[in-house]
Structure formats: C-alpha cells, structure tokens
C-alpha cells in the first residue's frame, strides 16, 4: 500500500461568516483547491496561536501558509512563532507554498524585506507576467509555460527586497515580485489561487462596509471580474505539481 500523503495548512486568517456558510470554512476552500483524493490534510489556526508540535513536522510532505489581514512585518507573538516554524521547515527542506501573507513571511524568514506596497493596495483580478527564462521546462509549471496568468489579488503589503537566493517567477505593472521560488522547496505567490469570484466579491462588500476602501475602489474591483475569470485551473495545477513533486508528462 502506498503511504498516504500528509499536508498541513497554516491558517493565518479566521473564517468569515460567508466562507463558513458557503464552504464550511477556509480549510475546505484550500483543500478543494490543492488537495487530492486519498490525502490527509490538517489545519492549524496559527492566527489563534495553534501550531503543530515541532516533533510532528517531519510527518508532513508539504505545507501551505494562507493569506491574512495581519501585516507580515509585524512582531505579534504568533507571527514570530510562525517565522520560527518556517525557518525550521526551510532547514528540513520541506515544501512550503506561501500565499499572499505566506509569500511575504517566507521572504522575511529568508532575509528579504517586506512592507507596505509602494504603489498602494490591490483588490482585483489582474494579470501577472511570467519570467519564462527563470522557469525550467518540465518543472512544476509544466512544458507549456504561459506568458501571463490571471489571478485574484487582495493585499496592501509586498515583498520589497527579495532574499538573495530567490528567483522572481512573475511580476506585474504595480509589483516587482508576484511569484518567487527558492531552491526546490519554497514557492510563493502574492495573489490568491484558492479564491473564486464569489469569495472576493464578499470581501469587497465587507471591507467597503467597514470603511476600509472607498466606493470607486470597490466598483473597480468588481468590474475587473465582470467579463472574465482567474486562471484557476492552471494555478491549481502549478501549485499541486509543486507541492506533490510532480513532473508533468509531455
């Protein structure tokens, strides 16, 4: 019998009422995007101080760090603990997929600089340009490397200075680092491959209601999603290939 693959999800955000009602929580959103039948996925609510025992880290094949409304450059106790765990996983060469906040945390742990986005926040469907020269054919991107990928984005911070050993895999008009990798075990994405239009719409409405954004910003966010969608299937495949060490067939 083949050993069951095990993955751990570090949730840096609480479940919204909408996500709980529609999907049963962010655990299900992530597992439905990155999981496959027969795998075991554990979630740890790191934002609430819940972490795996360090002695248990080795039993996992890979890790995913979610987005968060918290700043990745802050020094809250749970953020510092997360950084310690990521440092340990990095030393163990465990695969980690970092998304949004997670992308920034990995950059921070590896000696990069994160901070407020220089050109302001982004909340929309946007295109990121792939640095094709930085990606080996037959890697987890597959043999057909796209020129660009449409992805849903929601962030106000960014990676300002990359860690020395990092390779930029994608950039956009507003941000120099949309995706990066380090060695073969760290892959980071500023956007949200796990989001769908409904999740982002609800977040737009909520942050507008709370007064965090203005109406014209909310309208522009929704307009960006009106006539097209994110390349969710492609993003899902790339992330799964990375996490599971798959090399796509020709």
């Amino acid at each position: 019998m083949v050993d069951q693959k095990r993955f751990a999800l570090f949730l840096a955000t609480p479940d919204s009422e909408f996500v709980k009602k529609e999907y049963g929580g962010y655990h299900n959103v992530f597992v439905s995007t990155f999981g496959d039948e027969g795998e075991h996925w554990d979630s740890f609510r790191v934002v609430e101080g819940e972490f795996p025992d360090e002695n248990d880290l080795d039993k996992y094949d890979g890790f995913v760090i979610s987005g968060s409304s918290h700043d990745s450059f802050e020094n809250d106790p749970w953020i510092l603990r997360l950084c310690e765990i990521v440092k340990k996983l990095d030393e163990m060469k465990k695969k980690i997929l970092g998304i949004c906040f997670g992308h920034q945390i990995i950059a921070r742990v590896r000696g990069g600089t994160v901070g407020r986005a220089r050109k302001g926040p982004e909340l929309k469907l946007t295109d990121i340009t792939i640095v094709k020269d930085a990606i080996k054919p037959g890697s987890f991107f597959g043999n057909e490397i796209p020129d660009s990928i449409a992805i849903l984005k929601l962030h106000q911070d960014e990676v300002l200075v990359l860690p020395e050993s990092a390779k930029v895999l994608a950039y956009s008009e507003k941000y120099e680092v949309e995706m990066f990798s380090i060695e073969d075990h760290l892959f980071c994405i500023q956007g949200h491959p796990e989001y769908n239009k409904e999740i982002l719409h609800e977040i737009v409405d909520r942050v507008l209601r709370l007064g965090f954004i203005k109406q014209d910003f909310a309208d522009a966010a929704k307009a960006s999603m009106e006539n097209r969608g994110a390349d969710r299937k492609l993003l899902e495949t790339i992330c799964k290939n990375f996490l599971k060490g798959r090399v796509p067939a020709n």
Side-chain angles (χ1 to χ4, degrees):
M1 184 181 154
V2 179
D3 282 347
Q4 186 182 43
K5 279 196 176 288
R6 299 176 73 93
F7 297 92
L9 171 61
F10 291 164
L11 286 169
T13 186
D15 291 329
S16 67
E17 288 307 315
F18 172 78
V19 162
K20 265 195 279 200
K21 182 167 155 282
E22 292 295 318
Y23 307 102
Y26 272 120
H27 172 91
N28 294 342
V29 171
F30 278 91
V31 175
S32 67
T33 306
F34 302 130
D36 285 307
E37 205 175 322
E39 293 172 349
H40 181 87
W41 283 74
D42 289 324
S43 278
F44 297 91
R45 293 193 176 276
V46 296
V47 69
E48 293 166 14
E50 183 191 3
F51 289 90
D53 189 295
E54 284 200 18
N55 296 324
D56 291 335
L57 296 177
D58 199 40
K59 73 182 185 185
Y60 293 103
D61 296 284
F63 298 78
V64 179
I65 308 173
S66 81
S68 180
S69 60
H70 293 264
D71 295 326
S72 58
F73 48 84
E74 292 296 345
N75 293 315
D76 298 358
W78 74 270
I79 293 177
L80 295 178
R81 179 75 184 120
L82 178 60
C83 287
E84 282 172 17
I85 293 271
V86 169
K87 189 171 187 297
K88 175 129 179 127
L89 293 173
D90 180 28
E91 287 164 0
M92 296 167 76
K93 304 290 188 203
K94 287 287 185 182
K95 284 186 182 282
I96 314 176
L97 171 63
I99 292 168
C100 197
F101 170 86
H103 154 101
Q104 296 160 17
I105 286 288
I106 290 171
R108 172 181 174 170
V109 167
R110 285 296 297 244
T113 307
V114 293
R116 277 284 177 267
R118 288 164 289 201
K119 293 185 179 175
E122 189 149 68
L123 174 52
K124 64 191 284 197
L125 175 66
T126 193
D127 293 303
I128 59 175
T129 302
I130 303 300
V131 184
K132 295 174 92 164
D133 290 349
I135 299 164
K136 288 181 292 204
S139 70
F140 55 87
F141 266 76
N143 294 307
E144 297 277 324
I145 299 166
D147 293 318
S148 65
I149 296 177
I151 190 167
L152 293 167
K153 294 189 66 202
L154 163 61
H155 66 109
Q156 61 178 2
D157 302 332
E158 68 172 322
V159 175
L160 299 168
V161 181
L162 267 179
E164 270 182 29
S165 50
K167 279 194 307 191
V168 175
L169 304 183
Y171 62 92
S172 64
E173 281 180 23
K174 279 180 79 170
Y175 308 100
E176 291 172 14
V177 185
E178 290 281 6
M179 275 184 187
F180 73 90
S181 65
I182 297 177
E183 297 171 34
D184 294 324
H185 65 289
L186 304 175
F187 177 44
C188 303
I189 305 172
Q190 181 58 73
H192 285 272
E194 81 285 7
Y195 277 6
N196 57 32
K197 192 184 289 191
E198 290 71 33
I199 290 174
L200 201 66
H201 262 248
E202 191 275 333
I203 291 170
V204 171
D205 289 340
R206 183 157 29 102
V207 294
L208 177 65
R209 199 167 58 244
L210 293 168
F212 293 139
I213 60 171
K214 295 204 159 39
Q215 186 69 52
D216 58 349
F217 197 73
D219 292 344
K222 288 187 175 180
S224 73
M225 299 180 267
E226 228 165 68
N227 300 315
R228 65 184 193 126
D231 293 322
R232 291 193 70 212
K233 200 74 207 159
L234 174 59
L235 287 161
E236 181 184 302
T237 301
I238 290 168
C239 292
K240 280 185 173 184
N241 286 345
F242 162 74
L243 271 177
K244 296 156 201 206
R246 291 180 187 153
V247 177
N250 287 328

